[in-house]
Amino acid sequence: MAVERTLSIIKPDAVEKGAIGSILATFEAAGLRPLAIKMVRLTELQARGFYAVHKERPFFASLVQFMTSGPVVVSVLEGEAAIARHRELMGATDPTKAAPGTVRAQWATDIERNAVHGSDAPETARVEISYFFDATQIQGPVEALA
Ligand code: GDP
């Protein structure tokens, strides 16, 4: 297994519910180490850009409105097979289908207000990490930045 990095977002619904600590603890306990963390309030333009792949979907406007409705906590997590592991811990997009014990089963409200985001592949992880963080804002050996 390879060490990977993934982009994780705790969405506005979970921030509002006071779940930041619980969710980060779940990820850390599973061996996902935070290399960068920040709380931000996304602008409409930032949310539209981040979810551009979904711009033709009927729920796009609603998703953008939700993602800009309050602060989010964005982090870079590193670990063995971090992308798949993080998505397993998140659970299915629709919380009614999320396995018991997953973050979405515990914290999501519905299929849109579903508590967390996680990159789905190495290339999207790279793009999503650089969408939010400069290389110098991510902890790690200096050689990795060179
Ligand atoms: P993810 O990778 O599990 O986050 O799922 P997707 O990439 O398919 O969708 C991105 C985000 O759009 C989801 O996390 C939800 O917040 C939202 N979303 C996905 N499907 C639906 C849907 O059918 N209806 C609504 N309202 N939102 C959705």
Side-chain angles (χ1 to χ4, degrees):
M1 271 194 302
V3 173
E4 294 174 338
R5 293 177 180 184
T6 193
L7 186 86
S8 177
I9 303 179
I10 301 175
K11 296 183 178 181
D13 59 326
V15 172
E16 172 66 22
K17 289 175 184 173
I20 298 170
S22 167
I23 293 172
L24 288 176
T26 297
F27 295 149
E28 283 192 297
L32 299 176
R33 172 190 295 270
L35 300 184
I37 303 180
K38 65 181 173 188
M39 180 179 255
V40 292
R41 176 85 181 249
L42 297 181
T43 65
E44 187 184 333
L45 202 60
Q46 286 171 326
R48 290 176 69 89
F50 186 75
Y51 279 119
V53 67
H54 293 306
K55 65 178 189 292
E56 307 301 339
R57 309 285 286 275
F59 57 81
F60 182 67
S62 173
L63 175 62
V64 168
Q65 189 177 17
F66 161 54
M67 289 299 291
T68 57
S69 67
V72 297
V73 173
V74 191
S75 61
V76 178
L77 304 177
E78 183 178 78
E80 290 285 338
I83 296 167
R85 185 171 294 185
H86 182 254
R87 287 187 67 86
E88 269 173 42
L89 295 166
M90 289 188 344
T93 307
D94 179 350
T96 64
K97 297 181 180 138
T102 59
V103 171
R104 282 170 167 166
Q106 187 174 1
W107 293 108
T109 305
D110 56 39
I111 193 169
E112 178 175 281
R113 303 171 65 83
N114 61 0
V116 279
H117 165 85
S119 307
D120 63 3
E123 184 49 31
T124 42
R126 264 188 293 280
V127 171
E128 290 179 1
I129 289 169
S130 63
Y131 197 79
F132 286 104
F133 295 99
D134 294 337
T136 53
Q137 296 172 315
I138 301 170
Q139 301 304 304
V142 270
E143 301 84 67
L145 301 175

